Amino acid sequence: MISRDDVVHVARLARLALTDAELETMREQLNAILSHIDALRGVDTAGIEPTSHAVPQFNVVRDDDPRPCLSVEEMLANAPDRAGDFFRVPRIIEE
Amino acid sequence: MNWDVVIGLEVHAQLTTRTKMFCGCPTTFGAPPNTQTCPVCQGMPGTLPVINRRAIEYGVRTALAFECRVNAGCRFARKHYYYPDMPKNFQISQYEEPLAEHGALEIDLPDGRSRRIGIQRLHLEEDVGKLVHEGTLETAQSSLVDFNRAGVPLMETVSKPEIRSPEEAAAYLRAFRAVLVYLGVCDGNMEEGSLRCDANISLKPAGATELGTKVEIKNMNSFRNVQRALEFEMKRQAEALDRGERIVQETRLWDADRGYTRSTRSKEYAHDYRYFPEPDLVPLKLDATWVEQIRAALPELPRARRQRFVAAYGLPAYDAALLTQSRALAEYYEAAVRGFPQPKLVSNWVMSELLRELPGDDERAIEQAKVTPTRLAGLLRLIEDGTISGKIAKTVFETMVRTGEEAAAIVRREGLTQMADAGALTAMVSSAIAANPRAVEDYRKGKTAAGKAIVGQVMKASGGRANPAMVSKLVEEELEKITKR
Amino acid sequence: MGATIHELTAAYRRGETTPSRVTDEYLARIARLDDRVGAYLTVTAEHARAAAHAADERYRAGRPLGPLDGAPIALKDVFCTKGVRTTCASKILENFVPPYDATVVERLAGAGAVMLGKTNMDEFAMGSSTEHSALRVTRNPWDLARVPGGSSGGPAAAVAAGLAAGSLGTDTGGSIRQPAAFCGVVGLKPTYGRVSRFGLVAFASSLDHPGPIALDVVDTALLLGVIAGHDPMDATSIEAPVPDYAAGLEQGVRGLRLGVPDEYFTRGMDAEVESAVRAAIDVLKGLGATLERVSLPATPYALATYYVIAPAEASSNLARYDGVKYGLRVNGHDLIDMESKTRAAGFGAEVRRRVMLGTYVLSAGYYDAYYGQAQKVRTLVRRDFDAAFGRVDLIVAPTTPNVPFKHGEKTDPVQMYLNDVFTIPADMAGVPGVSVPCGFTQTGLPIGLQIIGRALDEATVLRAARAYEGATDWHTRRPPLS
């Protein structure tokens, strides 16, 4: 089942800062859920196509026609940190 | 130790559709920050993508030009990673079912050889926004994000690892770009970022079959830099391997100013992109008839056109290459030849005079050139029938570029008709000789080059209009007469 | 109070009252009662009055826009409303004001509906009790100590308590039908793609369904008629024409074949729920429908399948909440630190759990075993319905295995997930399903009957629901709130 290292790794992928206690609780809860989900593994799905759309459709496209953009003000109105007409983010450290 | 170089190139081309891949925002370059966005391309909650049909068409067109198999069905997938230039923190791309696969590009190398480089796959995706760092990425305390570019359609093409030298890589890129520009799907501007290239390079012992560890090289913003970066990296890896070191699988950035590649501190494991099929988009089933219509409408591609110019016009390979660098230029040349059927002469004029004024790969500039092919032909006819000399014709050309007038009109207005009257010319020759005793003395001493100085004087005195051949002959005759007296 | 939309608009047409007067009455009732019910997160009084005023004019001129003109409606706070806070009941969007309207919001406004406000929900629609809202507690109007169901607990409670005449919710694993059952009102999950998702803040893209919650089937049909239909902004929306749902409602059930699925009457389900639902099925039989046993054998796996697919898609859809462009930001010493702290602070426990679970099942090495396998089992669930609908026209079943439980009673996540066993399959298959009130427990808690139909056959689903409603009066009862 899920190890603590797995949980740490997934929390990193998901960008969630969890305390040690939270990581442990999460590990337990995820394991409980996964043990129920594991019932799926026993289902015989040989030759079955996956469903990615409940009501199958194809070829939905649009024409290359411009639509009005929103103004800078509207787009930046919710910005947590705005610098001029840009969104500002703290220092980016390559992973 | 002899090492074989194995290079693969990944090219991202921005498509010249009017709107973005999944929304109706315009794709024009250089707009003020965050003025070309909408809730969809900014990834606002609740928004949904819708595929731009023209982007698919451009992708199919390109795939066919590269002899790829266009897949009957394809779909989009989400590629997850966190980065501030990606509004949704996933990119809508294609993964297991790309638009096209297994094509090839023929390239011609400077030494005359040609090679066929395989193309593994071609797929469509959305571009990301732009980050502006105060300083460099490494030192900046904060960065600024502009989402104008986010969502612009990108076509990613991955070559097979069949390129065998940095020189070949540059040739592949040039040829690749020429095709895209010919097809009208991309403007191929590496400086502006509409064409981007990443490379994978590895070394293996000469003749071995197993590939070495590959290193990804990014941040090469011109053909020349691609070649320089790969040359550096090749050397770096060879030296390391010769020292018995292991090559680390990593991404390195090319630093053009300092001329080296450096590690980006990224860890050795690959990103876990957690691909899954994009649930907000339904799959595409490409109609075979539609694909055939696109194939039928493909223009003559650069290489084929180059070969035809050599065969049909008897042009040297160099001329053919220059003249076919853009579709507009090639068409310009052919129109000019139709008006003045001397291919080599027209080629010389186009290559030296026209291309001095206009960049040959700027489709629009060529199409809008004031010196149209018909007008150029008109100018060449005036030289041929002796109305003006070739030299005068060059100044006429410059005026034509400025004013857009017909050559004949300019010649008439400025009185540039060539002087070919023997009597008048003889008089001018005599004056020039009389005014240049030293040149005469030099000539007497055997420096025949002094005659040229006299010719020059006569040309100057005539405002360049004297028929140079006649002047040369008269000067020579006169000087001979004087010095042999 | 407790009037239906069609009663109200009939009164408007007869000149007995006006949209403005009714809107004021609703706003006053909200001011008086919502402290106890807790349905609303944002009340848009000015907005509502302006819309009502415009509706007044139209009725005065004898030119109302249609059957929804002037109807006071509440919207689950998962639909983007331009200029009006849209929170998804999450701290991470607590102050987010969208610059655009969801398509369904535009359509309702275009029909003259008066938006009273945005209602509470489980955070990002993840939950079955509305207890996972980060912003407010919503109580079941029939028993304030109990939950209204979820995730559309706010809309269902608002309608049940007379704090709105109708509402829009969303259903991903049962989140319209289950709260409708718990609150004694009607809730319809349409066919997937029947109603546009543009502007609906995504939880699980292939499972999210916007739909109406109302006091009776007539209102439900009226609301559906306005919001349904193709939307070029949603590539998964269906182009099929929208029938006049209201027109076909009174055809009765004579001759309709109803399937009773073995797997939906499970050991351990509440006895009162089972007996009320069986009695309801008998009513339908008495009205001329024929009954047949059917089996949907993949049903036991549907829950597990859902709890792979929904969290996977959710983890992807919620990746965008990172403190960069909108929403909460918690400062950090660098970008990754900022994003991680923001998301940890902004997402509640259930959301974090599902994001982690979803990220895990999509991560390298696990895709085939979990997500890939779940998508295939999903096909089996769809095939079950296809096969059943080869023999019957509708499937009738309980909506939930249980009755509304007390706040704080279900703390184990897995126990909470079991609320959705009977509703999840219809989401997986994308087929339409409605819950209508079909009785009460001895202690006065509502029970819901579920009717499921073929894809795009909302008309038959509604027709059967209307027939049942016409033969009973459960839908006329109102909770004892004063």
Side-chain angles (χ1 to χ4, degrees):
Chain A
M1 284 272 90
I2 300 195
S3 69
R4 190 197 148 82
D5 277 349
D6 288 334
V7 182
V8 169
H9 175 65
V10 172
R12 174 83 165 174
L13 285 179
R15 293 291 191 266
L16 283 173
L18 300 177
T19 64
D20 284 344
E22 286 166 341
L23 284 168
E24 184 48 34
T25 311
M26 186 67 77
R27 193 188 66 83
E28 284 166 10
Q29 290 178 336
L30 290 181
N31 274 322
I33 298 170
L34 282 170
S35 64
H36 283 266
I37 288 175
D38 271 347
L40 277 186
R41 304 235 208 169
V43 180
D44 181 10
T45 53
I48 305 288
E49 283 299 302
T51 294
S52 48
H53 294 97
V55 181
Q57 291 190 92
F58 299 93
N59 293 345
V60 177
V61 295
R62 64 179 174 87
D63 292 329
D64 190 23
D65 293 327
R67 282 176 54 97
C69 297
L70 289 190
S71 69
V72 184
E73 288 311 311
E74 283 174 299
M75 293 314 302
L76 285 169
N78 287 288
D81 185 9
R82 175 182 175 166
D85 289 338
F86 291 90
F87 296 85
R88 183 164 47 199
V89 297
R91 162 172 122 86
I92 302 168
I93 300 186
E94 293 287 342
E95 235 203 320
Chain B
M1 175 74 153
N2 273 337
W3 301 103
D4 280 346
V5 176
V6 176
I7 295 170
L9 290 182
E10 205 174 280
V11 181
H12 285 90
Q14 277 184 346
L15 298 180
T16 50
T17 53
R18 286 161 64 199
T19 63
K20 294 185 176 182
M21 186 73 223
F22 299 115
C23 70
C25 290
T27 54
T28 25
F29 180 80
N34 290 307
T35 54
Q36 271 175 194
T37 64
C38 73
V40 177
C41 55
Q42 268 223 21
M44 283 204 160
T47 53
L48 299 171
V50 185
I51 298 168
N52 181 338
R53 182 195 291 114
R54 183 162 284 145
I56 307 295
E57 185 197 319
Y58 282 9
V60 171
R61 196 189 288 177
T62 310
L64 293 172
F66 287 135
E67 303 173 46
C68 297
R69 181 192 72 221
V70 174
N71 286 326
C74 70
R75 61 164 92 212
F76 286 88
R78 293 189 182 178
K79 178 180 182 181
H80 299 84
Y81 61 98
Y82 278 81
Y83 210 64
D85 60 5
M86 279 220 310
K88 303 184 288 290
N89 286 319
F90 62 81
Q91 180 193 36
I92 302 178
S93 178
Q94 295 189 299
Y95 181 53
E96 286 177 330
E97 296 179 58
L99 185 66
E101 299 174 276
H102 301 308
L105 174 62
E106 298 257 3
I107 61 173
D108 295 312
L109 300 169
D111 65 8
R113 285 180 305 130
S114 71
R115 289 199 61 220
R116 242 174 107 77
I117 308 292
I119 287 175
Q120 183 66 40
R121 57 181 274 150
L122 180 152
H123 74 248
L124 296 173
E125 58 189 26
E126 54 178 350
D127 206 347
V128 301
K130 269 220 175 83
L131 288 176
V132 180
H133 313 293
E134 19 147 63
T136 65
L137 176 59
E138 288 70 34
T139 61
Q141 286 308 300
S142 68
S143 300
L144 304 177
V145 194
D146 170 15
F147 290 112
N148 280 351
R149 198 179 65 176
V152 170
L154 275 188
M155 184 171 60
E156 178 177 325
T157 313
V158 181
S159 81
K160 296 187 179 171
E162 295 173 355
I163 295 169
R164 297 201 291 232
S165 74
E167 190 183 56
E168 268 182 31
Y172 173 94
L173 262 181
R174 288 199 175 89
F176 189 95
R177 179 191 173 281
V179 171
L180 294 187
V181 173
Y182 256 61
L183 294 175
V185 303
C186 175
D187 63 30
N189 188 326
M190 281 188 86
E191 282 73 48
E192 282 180 3
S194 65
L195 192 70
R196 295 169 228 158
C197 175
D198 297 328
N200 282 301
I201 175 171
S202 66
L203 264 46
K204 60 181 172 67
T209 42
E210 201 185 305
L211 295 179
T213 306
K214 66 181 178 185
V215 173
E216 186 186 26
I217 312 290
K218 288 167 113 64
N219 200 41
M220 304 169 291
N221 69 351
S222 69
F223 300 137
R224 209 169 116 49
N225 273 318
V226 169
Q227 190 168 339
R228 285 175 68 207
L230 290 172
E231 281 164 356
F232 174 87
E233 183 60 20
M234 198 169 84
K235 189 151 166 285
R236 184 190 79 85
Q237 289 191 21
E239 286 170 3
L241 289 168
D242 283 339
R243 285 195 296 272
E245 288 166 21
R246 197 175 66 90
I247 300 294
V248 172
Q249 180 172 347
E250 59 175 347
T251 299
R252 297 175 73 87
L253 297 183
W254 169 246
D255 186 325
D257 295 327
R258 295 196 207 134
Y260 63 49
T261 64
R262 57 181 177 72
S263 182
T264 59
R265 271 181 283 130
S266 58
K267 298 207 187 117
E268 230 173 280
Y269 64 77
H271 278 289
D272 184 352
Y273 291 124
R274 287 162 277 135
Y275 285 102
F276 73 95
E278 171 57 76
D280 290 331
L281 294 175
V282 297
L284 294 175
K285 279 192 176 154
L286 299 184
D287 176 56
T289 316
W290 182 63
V291 172
E292 280 318 301
Q293 281 169 356
I294 296 175
R295 190 198 302 275
L298 285 178
E300 186 185 32
L301 293 175
R303 191 162 186 274
R305 183 164 286 197
R306 214 164 46 239
Q307 291 170 337
R308 181 169 65 79
F309 275 21
V310 167
Y313 298 119
L315 292 174
Y318 176 84
D319 292 35
L322 212 55
L323 293 172
T324 56
Q325 68 184 282
S326 75
R327 210 164 141 189
L329 186 64
E331 279 160 18
Y332 183 104
Y333 171 75
E334 295 209 271
V337 169
R338 278 194 293 278
F340 187 80
Q342 290 188 38
K344 185 60 177 124
L345 189 61
V346 174
S347 171
N348 292 345
W349 269 84
V350 171
M351 288 195 302
S352 55
E353 303 309 315
L354 185 74
L355 292 188
R356 201 206 334 258
E357 303 293 334
L358 300 170
D361 56 6
D362 185 335
E363 298 273 331
R364 192 153 358 123
I366 302 284
E367 278 162 11
Q368 293 173 352
K370 288 202 169 119
V371 186
T372 62
T374 320
R375 292 198 180 117
L376 176 63
L379 176 68
L380 297 178
R381 274 196 293 278
L382 292 182
I383 304 174
E384 189 184 38
D385 67 23
T387 307
I388 52 173
S389 67
K391 192 150 175 224
I392 291 279
K394 292 194 176 157
T395 54
V396 173
F397 184 88
E398 275 162 36
T399 309
M400 288 168 79
V401 168
R402 257 191 351 265
T403 66
E405 290 169 277
E406 299 280 342
I410 297 170
V411 167
R412 228 179 353 257
R413 193 188 61 235
E414 299 186 13
L416 295 173
T417 309
Q418 201 167 222
M419 284 176 65
D421 169 37
L425 288 182
T426 307
M428 294 180 80
V429 166
S430 299
S431 306
I433 285 176
N436 288 281
R438 204 182 40 210
V440 176
E441 276 311 304
D442 286 341
Y443 191 88
R444 196 196 301 276
K445 287 183 194 143
K447 293 186 188 160
T448 46
K452 290 204 172 69
I454 306 284
V455 170
Q457 291 295 320
V458 175
M459 293 307 294
K460 198 164 140 202
S462 73
R465 291 167 47 223
N467 183 317
M470 283 182 71
V471 170
S472 277
K473 189 156 164 292
L474 288 169
V475 165
E476 196 189 316
E477 282 169 5
E478 196 55 30
L479 284 173
E480 281 295 310
K481 241 196 299 186
I482 294 171
T483 57
K484 297 297 196 281
R485 241 202 296 253
Chain C
M1 272 307 111
T4 61
I5 292 172
H6 59 92
E7 284 165 352
L8 287 173
T9 53
Y12 298 154
R13 280 193 300 277
R14 291 192 301 263
E16 283 162 18
T17 184
T18 65
S20 286
R21 209 176 307 148
V22 166
T23 297
D24 282 342
E25 283 163 11
Y26 274 89
L27 290 171
R29 193 166 158 90
I30 291 169
R32 200 159 45 91
L33 291 176
D34 203 35
D35 275 349
R36 282 190 274 153
V37 176
Y40 281 88
L41 292 174
T42 304
V43 177
T44 50
E46 259 180 55
H47 204 275
R49 291 197 173 105
H53 184 72
D56 288 350
E57 295 297 317
R58 290 190 292 268
Y59 278 101
R60 227 193 315 271
R63 279 197 305 271
L65 289 169
L68 285 191
D69 203 345
I73 304 290
L75 294 172
K76 185 176 183 180
D77 206 14
V78 76
F79 293 105
C80 285
T81 41
K82 182 172 178 174
V84 175
R85 187 174 85 128
T86 300
T87 69
C88 302
S90 176
K91 287 200 166 3
I92 221 169
L93 287 180
E94 196 171 355
N95 296 304
F96 173 64
V97 180
Y100 75 105
D101 276 326
T103 297
V104 294
V105 172
E106 279 179 358
R107 289 185 181 178
L108 283 176
V114 172
M115 182 177 75
L116 295 171
K118 310 297 291 299
T119 50
N120 201 19
M121 50 186 282
D122 281 298
E123 186 181 356
F124 282 109
M126 299 185 202
S128 319
S129 65
T130 307
E131 290 177 287
H132 292 304
S133 168
L135 302 182
R136 175 148 223 206
V137 174
T138 302
R139 301 177 178 288
N140 193 319
W142 295 89
D143 180 342
L144 297 174
R146 293 176 184 265
V147 301
S151 60
S152 308
V159 168
L163 302 178
S167 68
L168 281 196
T170 61
D171 192 310
T172 304
S175 295
I176 284 177
R177 291 161 290 154
Q178 186 252 27
F182 273 20
C183 291
V185 293
V186 179
L188 171 77
K189 179 200 84 64
T191 306
Y192 182 81
R194 176 79 284 190
V195 179
S196 167
R197 288 184 299 119
F198 188 78
L200 158 56
V201 178
F203 156 23
S205 314
S206 75
L207 294 163
D208 287 342
H209 303 70
I213 299 175
L215 286 167
D216 68 8
V217 176
V218 175
D219 280 0
T220 304
L222 293 175
L223 285 166
L224 180 65
V226 166
I227 60 176
H230 180 248
D231 180 11
M233 300 294 283
D234 175 354
T236 60
S237 80
I238 298 178
E239 287 210 42
V242 178
D244 184 345
Y245 296 115
L249 283 179
E250 306 299 333
Q251 292 177 70
V253 294
R254 194 158 295 281
L256 283 182
R257 299 163 302 166
L258 308 181
V260 183
D262 291 337
E263 295 80 5
Y264 284 53
F265 290 88
T266 50
R267 225 185 19 232
M269 71 180 287
D270 186 292
E272 288 183 279
V273 170
E274 179 167 358
S275 72
V277 170
R278 287 204 188 276
I281 295 174
D282 280 340
V283 167
L284 286 168
K285 182 171 169 202
L287 291 171
T290 56
L291 300 182
E292 211 177 301
R293 262 182 82 178
V294 293
S295 174
L296 303 169
T299 305
Y301 299 109
L303 194 71
T305 306
Y306 177 82
Y307 279 102
V308 170
I309 296 174
E313 294 183 2
S315 72
S316 175
N317 288 324
L318 268 61
R320 69 193 66 198
Y321 303 109
D322 59 5
V324 171
K325 308 161 294 286
Y326 40 74
L328 178 73
R329 175 187 286 199
V330 172
N331 287 319
H333 47 76
D334 59 54
L335 178 73
I336 294 180
D337 190 45
M338 181 280 277
E339 288 174 337
S340 306
K341 287 184 168 134
T342 296
R343 290 162 63 79
F347 289 150
E350 183 60 33
V351 171
R352 278 189 278 170
R353 230 177 339 258
R354 297 204 197 187
V355 165
M356 290 286 289
L357 180 61
T359 306
Y360 179 75
V361 302
L362 287 176
S363 66
Y366 295 108
Y367 179 92
D368 287 330
Y370 288 113
Y371 193 79
Q373 175 72 345
Q375 292 284 50
K376 292 177 183 176
V377 178
R378 186 173 180 178
T379 302
L380 295 178
V381 171
R382 277 174 63 208
R383 285 187 185 183
D384 276 358
F385 280 103
D386 286 343
F389 287 130
R391 294 167 42 211
V392 299
D393 303 305
L394 297 168
I395 289 168
V396 286
T399 305
T400 63
N402 52 4
V403 295
F405 42 91
K406 288 196 195 293
H407 280 102
E409 183 181 319
K410 292 193 194 289
T411 50
D412 174 5
V414 177
Q415 280 306 306
M416 187 67 84
Y417 298 161
L418 290 172
N419 285 312
D420 296 327
V421 281
F422 299 148
T423 46
I424 276 175
D427 293 287
M428 313 241 51
V431 291
V434 74
S435 178
V436 290
C438 72
F440 290 82
T441 65
Q442 291 222 304
T443 52
L445 301 175
I447 297 170
L449 166 73
Q450 185 177 196
I451 304 173
I452 302 169
R454 296 183 180 93
L456 292 177
D457 196 13
E458 285 82 357
T460 306
V461 168
L462 290 170
R463 169 182 152 197
R466 176 73 198 117
Y468 176 76
E469 180 178 272
T472 58
D473 66 358
W474 307 117
H475 62 290
T476 61
R477 306 244 201 118
R478 300 285 178 259
L481 277 175
S482 55

